[in-house]
Amino acid sequence: MARERQALARVAVVVRAGAAPLVWSGLLGAAVGALLPGVTGRRIGLLTGLLLFLVAAAVVPLVRRGRYLRLAEGAGRAARADILQDRAVTLRNWRRGRRWWLLLALPAAVVSSLAVPGAVGLLLAGLGTGLWLKALWLGRRESAAEQLLWVSVDRLTRGGAPVGPGVEEFRATGVAAGDAVPGGARRR
């Protein structure tokens, strides 16, 4: 029985899509926050932010790791008729689906600096760094297995999470497929 044709997005690219906007919004928010004295003072605010950065950067790569592994182990081969979505299209769709959250990240970091300078900005930067580290982990796994992992675009809601409740399976291709290297970075 033949499967219907599907559009597929790279799992690592979807994971990595939020990293850059979060890191830049967070660092800019923390820099602006460092200029404000705040309620707690700059030193306490920035030390709290540094702690939040480290915790977020350590925890985010571990979240749902078991689900990623289960879906990767059960990944079936992508069909010849499947359409592999470009990296740029995947990034644009993910960011469009979350544009309001991404646009509100910087003002939230700056406003929160009135109370705790730089803390929320550094937390956002830690979340972005954690997503980047998770994409690198996926890239190492893809390189070791010599297969790239893909998810059906129909299963991603508004740009969605690659291991969200609607995702039931991954598809796999060889490492030469698509326009992104293992881990989701742009192919040079």
Side-chain angles (χ1 to χ4, degrees):
M1 181 165 81
R3 258 189 335 114
E4 65 183 52
R5 186 176 187 163
Q6 294 181 354
L8 301 174
R10 278 287 302 286
V11 174
V13 172
V14 176
V15 168
R16 191 181 182 122
L22 286 174
V23 167
W24 287 112
S25 294
L27 290 178
L28 188 57
V32 170
L35 300 175
L36 304 172
V39 174
T40 62
R42 284 187 198 107
R43 182 171 178 230
I44 291 174
L46 292 174
L47 287 175
T48 302
L50 180 61
L51 178 64
L52 291 172
F53 175 88
L54 294 173
V55 169
V59 170
V60 168
L62 301 176
V63 173
R64 293 185 171 174
R65 187 174 276 206
R67 180 140 165 82
Y68 279 96
L69 290 173
R70 280 191 302 281
L71 289 171
E73 289 169 1
R77 217 57 190 147
R80 283 190 189 272
D82 288 341
I83 300 166
L84 304 179
Q85 192 174 71
D86 286 344
R87 179 183 184 274
V89 174
T90 303
L91 290 173
R92 185 177 60 238
N93 289 344
W94 190 93
R95 290 173 182 167
R96 257 191 207 150
R98 289 174 168 70
R99 68 180 160 267
W100 294 112
W101 292 108
L102 294 173
L103 288 173
L104 291 174
L106 179 60
V110 171
V111 169
S112 70
S113 291
L114 296 173
V116 186
V120 173
L122 288 171
L123 172 63
L124 290 173
L127 293 172
T129 302
L131 289 173
W132 181 72
L133 291 171
K134 183 180 279 191
L136 289 179
W137 169 73
L138 280 167
R140 285 192 304 276
R141 193 180 185 308
E142 287 176 331
S143 293
E146 293 186 4
Q147 67 179 12
L148 300 179
L149 299 173
W150 301 78
V151 63
S152 173
V153 173
D154 298 335
R155 297 294 182 174
L156 298 174
T157 56
R158 296 180 59 182
V163 293
V167 177
E168 298 165 357
E169 62 184 351
F170 286 164
R171 293 285 168 204
T173 62
V175 291
D179 63 344
V181 297
R186 185 180 15 232
R187 195 177 295 279
R188 303 252 183 248

